[in-house]
Amino acid sequence: MLLLSETEAGKRVIIKRVNGRSSFRRRISEMGFVTGKEVLVLKNAPFRDPIEYQIMGYNISLRRSEAALIEVVEKEEAGELQQQYNGTLTFDKKIIRDLKPIKELKVALVGNPNAGKTSIFNAISGKQEHVGNYSGVTIDAKKTKIHYQQYVIELTDLPGTYSLSPNSPDELYVRDHLLKMHPDVVVNVVDSSNLERNLYLTTQLIDMDIQVVLALNMYDELEKNGDVLNVDQFSKITGIPAVTTVGSKRRGCDRLLNKVIEVAENRDPNQRHVHINYGPELERSINIIQKKIWEASNYVREFSSRYFALRLLDDDSHTKENIQYLQNADSVIKTADKERAHLENLLHENAQTLITNARYGFVNGALKETLKRKSQPDQRSVSQKIDQLLTHKYLGFPFFLLFLWIMFHGTFTLGQYPADWIETGVGWLGELVGSLIKEGPVKDLVIDGIFGGVGGVLVFLPNIVILFFFISLMEDTGYMARVAFIMDKLMHLIGLHGKSFIPLIMGFGCNVPAIMSTRTLENRGDRLLTILIIPFMSCSARLPVYILIAGAIFPDNAGTIIFSMYLGGIVISILTAVFLKKTMFRAKEAPFVMELPPYRVPTLRSTIRHMWSKAKEYLKKMGGVILWASIIVWFLSYFPRTNEQIAVLENNLIVVENQIMAGDLECEVNHHEIQPIDSLVALQSNLITAIHHEQQYNSYLGRMGRFIEPVIRPIGFDWKIGVSLLSGIIAKEIVISTLGVLYADDESGSELSLRSAIQEQTYTHGKLTGQKIYSKPTTLAFLVFVLIYIPCIAVIAAIRKETGKWKWALFNITYATTLAWLLSFLVSKVAGLFF
């Protein structure tokens, strides 16, 4: 990227884009510095500042800091540009290829949680990002590029935030993006049904002096309430062009993009910079701090001095860090401290409250002039009526448990039918492919490795889709936020608040985004504690393991067992939080501030899109990590192929097969005796099974399993369960694929389903030879172990990233594994008293 400030004297360049805040862009464009114009660099001043340029026949000098905000391309590379009277640029094909960024706009979506930013992002971009009716869905910035009216628009969906006063990491992320990434236009998405609350953020954007377009989203709800807003008058008062939209129905998005381009090109008549009036005393202090900032010769005018002055009066530590580049930074901070103390002594109120009150006063004044509300003094909203039941003091928690039971029971029961169809289809396809491949290692790899491993996991795709259907309903309707409200009192007992429960519930889908969503928590201690207990929430990757094992051993009560696992995860996370809060996290809890958005009817499009996105992720995992893991597990379980014991068994098998082929033993000994040929066939089957077991037992995988078996044998696990749990560290679905490989066709001539194979598994070595491996106590212990032990690698990486330290990831690994062993041992012993 070439900047005008870096261009050598005598060079001719073409302006590519102008950065900086809106007032600078307007001033510089009036001087002729617009996209596509040619600039000749004349000379530097004696101290290299300012720099003299020639543009449109005039000689103009700019400070080096101002020229640094203008991106250019060399004329030799660009060729000749023609600019038509209407401001559009025309190029030949080579120039279009080389200069695509010349017509590029950077647009950022900013707004409160639940304002509908991601809905608008999806409507404009065609992306399928998750939309939820509660705070914290957009965890990180999502980006896409679209082509619209000769522009390439880079659209960024920033995390939801109530304010640019950073109380949490995502709020700081939003503010830093606006200050450092210099979007050309900021689209401020507001909930039209709650303008007063949403427009507080708008007042902060006004103070930043950046180009803003207001998207009055969910405008249909404002009209449904009978309210009337004079949009044009509102735009004139605030100086911000506004457009009405309904993001969930894709209404108004084209008008929004048109308005963005108008604002970027300074063509909207309502576009102007407004100074919010903070009252005489505050304004005096703001001016004093601004003058002190202007004294710094290296002050970069891409930042609003008024905005910095307000943030310093608010005693914002991040702003103090941002202005350290100023030569007189210490003097500016001392001036701000002095003015803050002066205001508090004079007005008997802290500066933050004074600024907040003035901003809400501006919002109320603008709405009083432009918004006519329909009086509804005695009417309760539909949401309030529903909440009377679902958030009731005594009934709220039972309703929540009922919804969870319905969700998990329905996931198992409804998913069983399509799962059986897929299992049959995979079996049929495996037989078809197997018939086309000659006997040998390749056939074993395809049938036992790929079909046995990947096919065993693919069966549970319907259950995953149904689970996410229920989760999507809870999120999109707004019930998820009520769950936080319901759980608030219980969470207070462990030193957290209801808002921390949202990431826990999100963990039912996937622990990784749930951990990332903790950025919405203001208190670092709460955030860290919540991160450490999220892995105990049963993610969707564990669900196939629960369905397989519980369905095989507890077929009549599988739904209740699965529900118990999820509920048990919640209980363990809460008890863990109590333990950690009393030992490692003794900080004072933060107050509970959780928005309860109105209930909304989810759109079929949104729900299907959410389900399909999760199904697509699951299928990608099938063709990626699970496929390769299955191949590796097959290889480790297949080789080496022989040892002394196997050689003896194979020789015995040859003898038996030769006797069978002789064909002279088919007569009966007497009427009541078993035919000798049948006895030989049974012996042949037993020998084949024994060879298969011996090969696995002495394989590389078997040796690994036997190495860890002494640790897990007290719980009732054999080496096969051990290696499946070990492989599950990569991804929990691989527990199933590993079992699928190990149990694939382990009976002579009989193709058992994985579920049937689990039911039939017996010990083949040691004192327990012949006994069932998956007894009911062992099965319950196995499920508990899968629930608690080491989370997958992706979760460990997320813990490391979000906490910033490896010690918390290592702590989670150690604590979870130790707890899993202890509780599984306890469950197996207690369950043994009943089964």
Side-chain angles (χ1 to χ4, degrees):
M1 180 175 67
L2 180 62
L3 301 178
L4 187 56
S5 60
E6 300 169 349
T7 308
E8 298 175 1
K11 283 273 190 180
R12 291 183 181 272
V13 291
I14 306 297
I15 297 175
K16 179 180 175 182
R17 65 181 292 124
V18 179
N19 295 314
R21 60 196 180 96
S22 58
S23 60
F24 170 76
R25 294 184 186 185
R26 284 194 294 271
R27 180 172 66 85
I28 209 77
S29 64
E30 290 168 358
M31 297 165 63
F33 288 85
V34 294
T35 299
K37 285 298 179 182
E38 179 185 297
V39 182
L40 171 63
V41 184
L42 295 177
K43 60 178 179 292
N44 288 290
F47 295 100
R48 300 188 73 246
D49 206 357
I51 308 172
E52 187 176 355
Y53 301 98
Q54 185 182 85
I55 186 169
M56 298 174 66
Y58 293 91
N59 290 1
I60 299 173
S61 65
L62 292 179
R63 294 177 64 183
R64 185 171 293 275
S65 60
E66 294 177 328
L69 299 177
I70 302 174
E71 297 177 26
V72 296
V73 290
E74 294 185 6
K75 186 178 178 183
E76 291 78 5
E77 297 178 5
E80 294 185 0
L81 296 178
Q82 297 176 347
Q83 188 168 28
Q84 300 175 353
Y85 71 94
N86 61 359
T88 60
L89 298 173
T90 59
F91 322 101
D92 63 30
K93 290 183 179 179
K94 181 180 183 301
I95 297 173
I96 290 176
R97 184 175 65 251
D98 294 341
L99 288 180
K100 281 183 179 179
I102 279 193
K103 295 291 286 183
E104 189 172 279
L105 283 179
K106 293 191 290 186
V107 178
L109 296 176
V110 176
N112 288 188
N114 292 319
K117 291 182 294 73
T118 305
S119 293
I120 288 180
F121 179 84
N122 290 341
I124 292 175
S125 66
K127 295 281 185 179
Q128 299 184 1
E129 301 296 347
H130 181 206
V131 179
N133 191 18
Y134 65 96
S135 172
V137 176
T138 306
I139 307 307
D140 212 338
K142 300 179 177 71
K143 291 186 178 182
T144 189
K145 283 190 176 182
I146 63 168
H147 294 262
Y148 190 81
Q149 291 190 6
Q150 301 182 17
Y151 275 92
V152 176
I153 300 177
E154 182 185 83
L155 192 65
T156 304
D157 179 21
L158 294 172
T161 177
Y162 294 105
S163 164
L164 297 178
S165 305
N167 294 314
S168 62
D170 52 343
E171 290 181 354
L172 179 60
Y173 181 92
V174 172
R175 193 176 77 172
D176 282 350
H177 183 93
L178 298 181
L179 289 175
K180 297 176 181 178
M181 301 307 294
H182 307 298
D184 297 298
V185 178
V186 172
V187 175
N188 180 202
V189 182
V190 301
D191 178 358
S192 298
S193 65
N194 200 343
L195 286 172
E196 184 176 4
R197 198 277 320 279
N198 278 244
L199 290 172
Y200 179 80
L201 176 61
T202 309
T203 62
Q204 294 181 309
L205 297 174
I206 290 174
D207 288 331
M208 293 181 80
D209 190 17
I210 54 181
Q211 297 194 117
V212 179
V213 172
L214 200 65
L216 296 167
N217 199 33
M218 307 180 197
Y219 199 75
D220 54 339
E221 294 190 13
L222 181 142
E223 294 175 323
K224 184 179 178 181
N225 292 336
D227 298 340
V228 178
L229 177 68
N230 188 330
V231 177
D232 187 62
Q233 182 67 14
F234 182 83
S235 297
K236 290 177 181 177
I237 291 174
T238 59
I240 299 178
V243 176
T244 62
T245 61
V246 183
S248 61
K249 299 177 182 177
R250 301 178 177 241
R251 284 180 6 205
C253 292
D254 286 341
R255 288 187 286 108
L256 179 61
L257 289 176
N258 291 334
K259 187 62 68 177
V260 165
I261 292 173
E262 287 180 19
V263 168
E265 297 176 349
N266 295 308
R267 293 191 285 110
D268 189 279
N270 294 328
Q271 181 183 0
R272 64 191 178 95
H273 179 53
V274 174
H275 274 193
I276 296 171
N277 187 353
Y278 288 97
E281 294 300 329
L282 264 173
E283 289 292 343
R284 185 194 65 82
S285 294
I286 292 170
N287 289 334
I288 290 173
I289 300 172
Q290 279 186 281
K291 289 177 181 178
K292 184 60 67 173
I293 292 173
W294 295 335
E295 288 178 6
S297 60
N298 65 335
Y299 167 57
V300 181
R301 296 189 180 276
E302 61 180 307
F303 302 122
S304 168
S305 59
R306 182 176 176 84
Y307 175 73
F308 274 167
L310 284 162
R311 297 307 307 137
L312 289 171
L313 279 176
D314 201 8
D315 199 21
D316 178 30
S317 60
H318 295 287
T319 300
K320 292 178 181 179
E321 294 175 7
N322 287 339
I323 67 167
Q324 287 302 313
Y325 76 94
L326 294 177
Q327 294 166 336
N328 63 342
D330 291 339
S331 178
V332 171
I333 293 172
K334 287 179 181 177
T335 301
D337 292 342
K338 179 181 177 182
E339 290 303 315
R340 187 186 319 108
H342 167 74
L343 288 172
E344 292 176 355
N345 289 330
L346 180 66
L347 303 176
H348 305 290
E349 189 66 83
N350 64 61
Q352 182 180 20
T353 302
L354 294 170
I355 293 170
T356 300
N357 290 341
R359 283 175 174 156
Y360 274 117
F362 176 83
V363 171
N364 290 332
L367 292 178
K368 188 174 182 180
E369 293 289 329
T370 57
L371 180 64
K372 293 183 179 179
R373 297 187 183 276
K374 181 180 178 182
S375 178
Q376 296 178 317
D378 299 322
Q379 294 184 13
R380 287 179 301 154
S381 67
V382 174
S383 293
Q384 289 173 325
K385 294 176 181 177
I386 297 175
D387 275 343
Q388 272 200 318
L389 188 63
L390 296 187
T391 61
H392 189 271
K393 182 178 180 180
Y394 301 111
L395 299 178
F397 191 70
F399 267 114
F400 169 57
L401 293 180
L402 176 62
F403 290 152
L404 283 185
W405 183 85
I406 292 173
M407 179 167 70
F408 299 122
H409 191 76
T411 297
F412 176 79
T413 306
L414 298 177
Q416 189 61 47
Y417 301 103
D420 289 342
W421 302 335
I422 293 176
E423 186 175 39
T424 302
V426 169
W428 174 83
L429 185 61
E431 290 180 3
L432 177 63
V433 173
S435 66
L436 302 176
I437 304 175
K438 293 182 179 179
E439 294 290 337
V442 174
K443 181 176 180 178
D444 292 340
L445 169 62
V446 173
I447 303 303
D448 298 341
I450 296 176
F451 277 90
V454 177
V457 182
L458 182 63
V459 165
F460 301 100
L461 175 62
N463 304 99
I464 297 295
V465 171
I466 293 171
L467 172 67
F468 278 102
F469 168 76
F470 282 111
I471 292 177
S472 179
L473 286 181
M474 292 177 68
E475 293 173 343
D476 295 346
T477 57
Y479 181 67
M480 193 71 85
R482 270 72 184 180
V483 171
F485 178 81
I486 293 166
M487 295 297 295
D488 182 52
K489 188 168 184 179
L490 180 60
M491 298 297 281
H492 268 292
L493 297 177
I494 64 174
L496 293 172
H497 54 65
K499 195 173 182 180
S500 295
F501 197 70
I502 290 291
L504 297 182
I505 293 294
M506 287 182 68
F508 285 162
C510 178
N511 289 169
V512 174
I515 288 171
M516 295 173 66
S517 73
T518 59
R519 296 175 189 174
T520 60
L521 302 177
E522 291 83 3
N523 182 280
R524 173 169 170 76
D526 288 353
R527 191 159 60 246
L528 185 55
L529 179 55
T530 306
I531 286 172
L532 293 178
I533 64 176
I534 282 174
F536 298 119
M537 308 303 287
S538 290
C539 63
S540 59
R542 294 181 177 103
L543 179 62
V545 184
Y546 297 159
I547 292 173
L548 172 68
I549 304 299
I553 309 303
F554 297 95
D556 297 329
N557 302 293
T560 302
I561 295 292
I562 295 170
F563 168 70
S564 300
M565 288 299 104
Y566 279 83
L567 191 61
I570 296 174
V571 173
I572 291 170
S573 66
I574 290 174
L575 294 177
T576 297
V578 172
F579 168 71
L580 295 179
K581 196 73 175 181
K582 291 183 179 297
T583 55
M584 301 171 65
F585 300 93
R586 296 176 177 272
K588 186 178 179 181
E589 65 189 67
F592 174 54
V593 181
M594 182 68 197
E595 178 189 4
L596 293 181
Y599 287 103
R600 295 191 174 97
V601 178
T603 62
L604 182 61
R605 181 190 188 93
S606 173
T607 303
I608 292 176
R609 186 168 57 196
H610 187 200
M611 292 165 58
W612 167 240
S613 69
K614 296 304 177 183
K616 191 163 58 174
E617 288 178 15
Y618 194 71
L619 291 173
K620 283 182 180 178
K621 196 180 281 189
M622 295 297 102
V625 62
I626 292 176
L627 172 61
W628 286 107
S630 298
I631 292 173
I632 292 170
V633 168
W634 173 85
F635 179 86
L636 293 175
S637 67
Y638 195 78
F639 295 102
R641 296 294 294 163
T642 186
N643 61 20
E644 292 183 6
Q645 180 65 27
I646 293 174
V648 171
L649 292 172
E650 288 178 339
N651 288 333
N652 292 339
L653 179 63
I654 292 172
V655 171
V656 171
E657 288 178 342
N658 288 337
Q659 292 182 13
I660 293 174
M661 292 178 64
D664 58 352
L665 299 174
E666 295 184 4
C667 59
E668 295 182 2
V669 176
N670 58 55
H671 184 70
H672 300 287
E673 294 290 336
I674 299 176
Q675 296 177 352
I677 187 64
D678 290 343
S679 177
L680 287 174
V681 169
L683 180 58
Q684 178 192 37
S685 176
N686 291 336
L687 285 170
I688 291 174
T689 300
I691 291 170
H692 179 84
H693 287 159
E694 194 64 31
Q695 285 174 340
Q696 282 194 341
Y697 190 70
N698 289 283
S699 66
Y700 298 125
L701 196 66
R703 294 170 190 177
M704 292 168 56
R706 297 204 308 274
F707 179 77
I708 64 173
E709 191 173 23
V711 178
I712 59 176
R713 178 53 65 88
I715 313 175
F717 301 167
D718 73 336
W719 70 266
K720 293 184 180 180
I721 292 178
V723 294
S724 72
L725 292 170
L726 200 61
S727 65
I729 297 173
I730 301 172
K732 289 297 176 281
E733 297 97 336
I734 298 178
V735 171
I736 291 180
S737 64
T738 302
L739 294 176
V741 172
L742 292 174
Y743 298 158
D745 193 20
D746 65 352
E747 298 292 338
S748 174
S750 64
E751 287 287 346
L752 295 177
S753 70
L754 183 54
R755 185 171 296 177
S756 300
I758 287 172
Q759 293 170 343
E760 299 298 325
Q761 285 302 303
T762 57
Y763 289 99
T764 58
H765 294 79
K767 297 179 180 179
L768 299 177
T769 300
Q771 294 186 27
K772 294 280 187 182
I773 293 176
Y774 290 91
S775 63
K776 290 184 177 180
T778 300
T779 299
L780 291 174
F782 182 35
L783 292 174
V784 170
F785 201 95
V786 171
L787 165 66
I788 303 172
Y789 87 116
I790 307 175
C792 68
I793 291 175
V795 174
I796 295 297
I799 293 174
R800 161 65 183 85
K801 180 182 177 182
E802 295 302 315
T803 62
K805 295 181 180 179
W806 271 111
K807 74 172 186 178
W808 294 117
L810 295 174
F811 169 79
N812 183 271
I813 292 172
T814 305
Y815 176 79
T817 306
T818 304
L819 184 64
W821 194 96
L822 292 173
L823 288 184
S824 297
F825 179 80
L826 181 63
V827 166
S828 68
K829 299 306 177 186
V830 173
L833 300 176
F834 299 94
F835 300 108

